[in-house]
Amino acid sequence: MAQAPPADKRRLILDAAIRVFARQGFHATRVSDIADEAGVAYGLVYHYFSSKDEVLNELFIERWSLLLAAIEEADKTAASPRQKLGAVATFIFDSYRHDPELMKVIIVEVTRAANSFGKTHLEQIQRAYESIAKIVADGQESGAFRGDVAPMFASMSFYGAIEQLLSGWIFGTIPASASDFDQARDLLVTTICDGLEPRG
Amino acid sequence: MAQAPPADKRRLILDAAIRVFARQGFHATRVSDIADEAGVAYGLVYHYFSSKDEVLNELFIERWSLLLAAIEEADKTAASPRQKLGAVATFIFDSYRHDPELMKVIIVEVTRAANSFGKTHLEQIQRAYESIAKIVADGQESGAFRGDVAPMFASMSFYGAIEQLLSGWIFGTIPASASDFDQARDLLVTTICDGLEPRG
Amino acid sequence: MAQAPPADKRRLILDAAIRVFARQGFHATRVSDIADEAGVAYGLVYHYFSSKDEVLNELFIERWSLLLAAIEEADKTAASPRQKLGAVATFIFDSYRHDPELMKVIIVEVTRAANSFGKTHLEQIQRAYESIAKIVADGQESGAFRGDVAPMFASMSFYGAIEQLLSGWIFGTIPASASDFDQARDLLVTTICDGLEPRG
Amino acid sequence: MAQAPPADKRRLILDAAIRVFARQGFHATRVSDIADEAGVAYGLVYHYFSSKDEVLNELFIERWSLLLAAIEEADKTAASPRQKLGAVATFIFDSYRHDPELMKVIIVEVTRAANSFGKTHLEQIQRAYESIAKIVADGQESGAFRGDVAPMFASMSFYGAIEQLLSGWIFGTIPASASDFDQARDLLVTTICDGLEPRG
DNA sequence: TATGAATGAGTTTTCATTCAT
DNA sequence: AATGAATGAAAACTCATTCAT
């Protein structure tokens, strides 16, 4: 007979938090909302986490380390710089495709919340920018990329563009019909690598 | 005969709010902080504004309408699409150069605060995206831009890149030495229009 | 026509706090109890005091400074050391007679709460002990008191005895009938100065 | 053959509680602190005691019964009233010498915490006062003590002086150098029995 | 006996907003 | 217009106690 899975209450709470944070935003969610959503008692949240902040921090760290790994993974391959950037974009867009609620939380409540959690995790966030910048710099050295754009500038532009597109989908600014993620990835990489102007 | 300007307390409060919001963030500033910074009594803030939110709203609307006007202004000129985008970038970067505190507030507390004020002003914000998209679309029609990138995608990427660069300066992610705004503008427009890959 | 006195809400709160602290003890009284007793809104307590602790601190400081002044006043007179100690005892017993609730709070919640407020005000409390010790020391020098008892010991014994008697009245340990304060003062001073054993 | 004593967890917890209560005070110690200090599981405290209060109650009762016995023991001897009082003081000072942490807890958290545990154990505490008062009364009857001081007054003064001295040592109000307990006992008894004024 | 996860009531403090003057 | 005292709702966090194993 099927047994109820061993209720990992900690995970339960974390997953509930994703849903509530995504739905209401971090500030607007009370700890009791998380507990209710998880179906556990109020105090249990504090049994596993030292504060409401801690819950979000954990969510971010968990996810962001995957991104960092993915970028470095992409950088290690023999692919062209363009392909590497494509891989990075793919990873991020796929993350959104697979868990839009979590990505919404990460972006809206951490990455772009520069005065609160963004500040806390600035170092980790910056590490991603720098890893992307390294891909650009390598591309410039190999001649694949033009040399007159500072790598960090290119990196920030690239990442900023990605986040803006995600925000657009998250908040309905970009029509959902355009949300074919593979196409989005191609368009973005094309724009950044080839530019908007047609080649001679 | 020149009269000492009638102390416009309303403006005084607005300007004080910019400084405090920039310094502490919207959530962390109490209404009394604004009053103190402005050197007026607590209650006067409520005489001129219906709520704390109202103050930020006003700040945003005031500024954002200028941006919208600037984009449309740029679009009206006979310049090339590339130059138009350059003009838009110039306006935004100049805004930051001239009043970094206000721009910090606009971006951090409104534009990127998608769950609070960003939501409130979504329509106005979107209007900017669309105006930029129009420039791209026109460029595609005239053959100046390639046609295989959806204008809204290009617009979001372009604007996202700008905001990311501003955020980088605001929070020290990008070294200040790189903050030559004209150069930044050129690099950005180059990246978006020419792409990272060298032309044949 | 009699006018309602200008409601000094701050004082109102302080006086209400005395009553509630005396009735329920500091720990058991909620801030709302104070506000209710004072007939003011919850938040007003925080308008005037930074915390619940602050209220008690203020009460203590207010009262204790009077005691310190009284001891020093007594010391300045030309009276005998015995009379000086009598004056100190009189002041304390009178304080209790005039405002037993306040004295209860001072003794129970501060002076004898050595692990909480007693710790905070240790220096002030000690000052009283030392002033009394000085009276003893002077008495020893003049030959009015025997020299083989350390002044600080005598002071602590004297003060400890007083507080114990007060506690006895406060908590009904000593029958109220014995509470004739002047007689109590005499008995205490007799005990400390003459001793329990009859003179030759 | 000597067997390792069966780990008496109950005693272990009680002893741990003494240390933690002495260190942090009753209110500031959580049940988990006690468990941690004792090296046992959280819930075990509740296996042996019905509540946190219970632990302190037990500590008090255990100790206080010894004091009551000691006073009555002293009273039974053929010694002079003065010697009896000396014996009582000796017992208390010795208790402190042998287990200062426990005595600190008894005094600070029970005996002087008149609004919480002091109230609970008032009867037991009072019994001590009365036993001492009886010694005084007997002394008066035999002519060893003067008759014009109410026995209960003398008792309270005597005990209050002792507790004040202990408090002084516990909290460093009295320089430790003065802490020779035998001398302290003599000074105290001298003060109470002979008085501060020199004999004719 | 022993463990420690689970529960949930309770209280301080903050601060936006109102209002009498 | 201007002041700042007065209001009271809201929520995080703590921790004693219970309970399933």
Side-chain angles (χ1 to χ4, degrees):
Chain A
M1 197 185 72
Q3 188 70 32
D8 181 347
K9 298 289 179 73
R10 195 187 146 84
R11 188 73 246 169
L12 212 58
I13 292 169
L14 241 15
D15 289 339
I18 293 173
R19 293 193 296 277
V20 204
F21 287 161
R23 197 188 312 139
Q24 317 177 349
F26 179 83
H27 269 105
T29 99
R30 286 158 296 167
V31 174
S32 70
D33 292 335
I34 301 177
D36 289 351
E37 175 85 22
V40 302
Y42 193 101
L44 199 61
V45 176
Y46 283 93
H47 184 75
Y48 286 113
F49 304 92
S50 62
S51 68
K52 198 177 86 165
D53 286 25
E54 261 284 301
V55 178
L56 179 54
N57 284 340
E58 181 118 355
L59 250 19
F60 171 77
I61 290 167
E62 208 174 78
R63 192 77 211 163
W64 199 255
S65 61
L66 295 184
L67 171 62
L68 291 179
I71 300 176
E72 268 149 42
E73 192 62 34
D75 191 26
K76 275 194 208 129
T77 64
S80 70
R82 184 188 181 117
Q83 285 171 320
K84 289 177 179 176
L85 291 184
V88 170
T90 295
F91 179 84
I92 299 177
F93 286 153
D94 277 359
S95 295
Y96 178 69
R97 167 156 47 191
H98 292 318
D99 198 341
E101 289 184 317
L102 176 55
M103 284 303 279
K104 177 176 177 180
V105 172
I106 300 296
I107 290 176
V108 174
E109 307 297 345
V110 185
T111 277
R112 297 197 142 196
N115 257 330
S116 46
F117 286 93
K119 205 165 265 171
T120 308
H121 297 289
L122 195 53
E123 208 180 330
Q124 290 301 309
I125 295 173
Q126 178 128 0
R127 194 165 299 178
Y129 302 157
E130 282 161 357
S131 295
I132 296 173
K134 181 174 171 296
I135 294 178
V136 174
D138 290 348
Q140 292 178 325
E141 246 167 70
S142 72
F145 283 167
R146 55 197 300 166
D148 58 354
V149 175
M152 196 57 175
F153 264 67
S155 167
M156 295 290 277
S157 302
F158 177 70
Y159 184 81
I162 292 177
E163 245 189 35
Q164 186 74 7
L165 290 174
L166 285 180
S167 295
W169 289 323
I170 291 170
F171 293 100
T173 300
I174 302 179
S177 65
S179 313
D180 182 70
F181 297 100
D182 292 330
Q183 193 195 343
R185 190 256 336 269
D186 290 342
L187 290 179
L188 179 67
V189 174
T190 294
T191 304
I192 294 290
C193 295
D194 283 350
L196 287 173
E197 297 181 358
R199 297 277 160 150
Chain B
M1 197 186 71
Q3 187 71 30
D8 183 347
K9 297 285 180 72
R10 195 186 145 82
R11 188 72 244 169
L12 212 58
I13 291 170
L14 241 15
D15 289 338
I18 294 173
R19 294 193 296 276
V20 205
F21 288 161
R23 197 189 311 139
Q24 315 176 352
F26 179 83
H27 268 105
T29 98
R30 286 158 296 173
V31 175
S32 71
D33 291 334
I34 302 176
D36 289 351
E37 175 86 23
V40 303
Y42 201 105
L44 200 59
V45 176
Y46 282 90
H47 183 74
Y48 287 113
F49 304 92
S50 64
S51 70
K52 196 176 93 165
D53 287 24
E54 259 286 299
V55 178
L56 179 54
N57 285 339
E58 180 118 358
L59 249 20
F60 172 76
I61 291 166
E62 204 175 82
R63 192 75 213 167
W64 199 256
S65 62
L66 294 184
L67 172 62
L68 290 179
I71 299 176
E72 270 149 41
E73 192 63 34
D75 191 27
K76 274 193 208 135
T77 64
S80 70
R82 184 188 183 116
Q83 285 171 320
K84 289 177 180 176
L85 290 184
V88 170
T90 294
F91 179 84
I92 299 177
F93 285 152
D94 276 0
S95 295
Y96 179 69
R97 167 156 47 190
H98 293 318
D99 197 342
E101 289 184 318
L102 176 55
M103 284 303 279
K104 177 175 177 180
V105 172
I106 300 296
I107 290 176
V108 175
E109 308 296 345
V110 185
T111 276
R112 298 197 143 196
N115 260 329
S116 46
F117 287 93
K119 204 164 266 171
T120 308
H121 298 289
L122 195 53
E123 206 179 331
Q124 289 301 309
I125 295 172
Q126 179 129 0
R127 192 165 301 176
Y129 302 156
E130 283 161 357
S131 295
I132 296 173
K134 180 172 174 297
I135 293 178
V136 174
D138 289 349
Q140 292 177 326
E141 247 167 70
S142 73
F145 282 167
R146 56 197 301 166
D148 58 354
V149 175
M152 198 55 176
F153 263 68
S155 166
M156 295 291 277
S157 302
F158 177 68
Y159 183 80
I162 291 178
E163 245 190 37
Q164 186 75 7
L165 291 175
L166 284 180
S167 294
W169 289 323
I170 290 171
F171 294 100
T173 300
I174 302 179
S177 65
S179 316
D180 182 70
F181 298 98
D182 292 330
Q183 193 196 342
R185 192 255 335 270
D186 290 344
L187 290 178
L188 179 67
V189 174
T190 294
T191 303
I192 294 289
C193 295
D194 283 349
L196 285 172
E197 296 181 358
R199 297 276 158 151
Chain C
M1 198 186 71
Q3 188 71 29
D8 181 347
K9 298 287 180 74
R10 195 187 145 83
R11 188 73 245 168
L12 212 58
I13 291 169
L14 242 13
D15 289 339
I18 293 173
R19 294 192 297 276
V20 204
F21 288 161
R23 197 189 312 139
Q24 316 177 349
F26 180 83
H27 269 105
T29 98
R30 285 157 298 167
V31 175
S32 70
D33 292 335
I34 302 176
D36 288 351
E37 176 84 23
V40 302
Y42 197 104
L44 200 61
V45 177
Y46 284 92
H47 183 76
Y48 286 113
F49 304 92
S50 62
S51 69
K52 197 177 89 165
D53 287 24
E54 261 284 300
V55 178
L56 179 54
N57 285 339
E58 180 119 356
L59 250 20
F60 171 77
I61 291 167
E62 208 174 78
R63 192 76 212 163
W64 199 255
S65 61
L66 294 185
L67 171 62
L68 291 180
I71 300 176
E72 269 149 42
E73 192 61 36
D75 191 26
K76 275 192 208 131
T77 65
S80 70
R82 184 187 182 118
Q83 285 172 319
K84 289 177 180 177
L85 291 183
V88 170
T90 295
F91 180 84
I92 299 177
F93 287 152
D94 277 359
S95 295
Y96 179 69
R97 166 156 47 189
H98 292 318
D99 197 341
E101 289 185 317
L102 176 54
M103 284 303 279
K104 177 176 178 181
V105 172
I106 300 295
I107 290 177
V108 175
E109 308 297 344
V110 185
T111 276
R112 298 198 142 194
N115 259 330
S116 46
F117 286 93
K119 205 165 265 169
T120 308
H121 298 289
L122 194 53
E123 207 179 331
Q124 289 301 309
I125 295 173
Q126 179 129 0
R127 193 165 300 176
Y129 302 156
E130 282 161 358
S131 294
I132 295 174
K134 181 175 171 297
I135 293 178
V136 174
D138 290 348
Q140 292 178 324
E141 247 167 69
S142 74
F145 283 166
R146 56 198 302 168
D148 59 354
V149 176
M152 196 58 175
F153 264 68
S155 167
M156 295 291 277
S157 302
F158 177 69
Y159 184 81
I162 293 178
E163 245 190 35
Q164 186 74 7
L165 290 174
L166 285 180
S167 295
W169 289 322
I170 291 171
F171 293 100
T173 300
I174 301 178
S177 65
S179 315
D180 183 71
F181 298 100
D182 292 330
Q183 193 196 342
R185 190 258 335 270
D186 290 343
L187 290 179
L188 179 67
V189 173
T190 294
T191 305
I192 294 289
C193 295
D194 283 349
L196 286 173
E197 297 180 359
R199 297 275 158 152
Chain D
M1 196 185 71
Q3 187 70 30
D8 183 347
K9 298 285 180 73
R10 195 186 147 83
R11 188 72 246 168
L12 211 59
I13 291 169
L14 241 15
D15 288 339
I18 294 173
R19 293 193 296 276
V20 205
F21 287 161
R23 198 188 310 138
Q24 316 175 352
F26 179 82
H27 268 105
T29 98
R30 286 158 297 173
V31 175
S32 71
D33 291 335
I34 302 177
D36 288 352
E37 176 84 22
V40 303
Y42 200 107
L44 200 59
V45 176
Y46 281 91
H47 183 75
Y48 286 113
F49 304 91
S50 64
S51 70
K52 195 176 93 165
D53 286 24
E54 259 286 299
V55 178
L56 179 54
N57 285 340
E58 180 117 359
L59 250 18
F60 172 77
I61 290 166
E62 203 175 83
R63 191 76 211 166
W64 199 255
S65 62
L66 294 185
L67 172 63
L68 291 179
I71 299 176
E72 269 149 42
E73 192 62 35
D75 192 25
K76 275 193 209 133
T77 65
S80 70
R82 183 189 184 118
Q83 284 171 321
K84 289 177 180 177
L85 291 183
V88 171
T90 295
F91 180 83
I92 299 178
F93 286 153
D94 277 358
S95 295
Y96 178 69
R97 166 156 49 190
H98 292 319
D99 198 341
E101 289 184 318
L102 176 54
M103 284 303 279
K104 177 175 177 179
V105 172
I106 300 297
I107 291 176
V108 175
E109 308 297 344
V110 185
T111 277
R112 299 197 141 196
N115 260 327
S116 45
F117 287 92
K119 203 164 269 172
T120 307
H121 298 289
L122 195 52
E123 207 179 331
Q124 290 300 309
I125 295 173
Q126 180 127 359
R127 192 165 301 177
Y129 301 156
E130 283 161 357
S131 295
I132 295 174
K134 179 173 173 296
I135 293 178
V136 174
D138 289 349
Q140 291 178 326
E141 247 167 68
S142 73
F145 283 166
R146 56 198 301 166
D148 58 354
V149 175
M152 197 57 175
F153 264 67
S155 168
M156 295 292 276
S157 303
F158 177 69
Y159 183 81
I162 292 179
E163 245 190 37
Q164 186 75 6
L165 291 174
L166 284 181
S167 293
W169 289 323
I170 291 171
F171 293 101
T173 301
I174 302 178
S177 65
S179 313
D180 182 70
F181 298 99
D182 292 330
Q183 192 194 344
R185 191 257 337 268
D186 290 344
L187 289 178
L188 179 67
V189 174
T190 294
T191 303
I192 294 290
C193 296
D194 283 350
L196 287 172
E197 296 181 358
R199 298 275 158 148

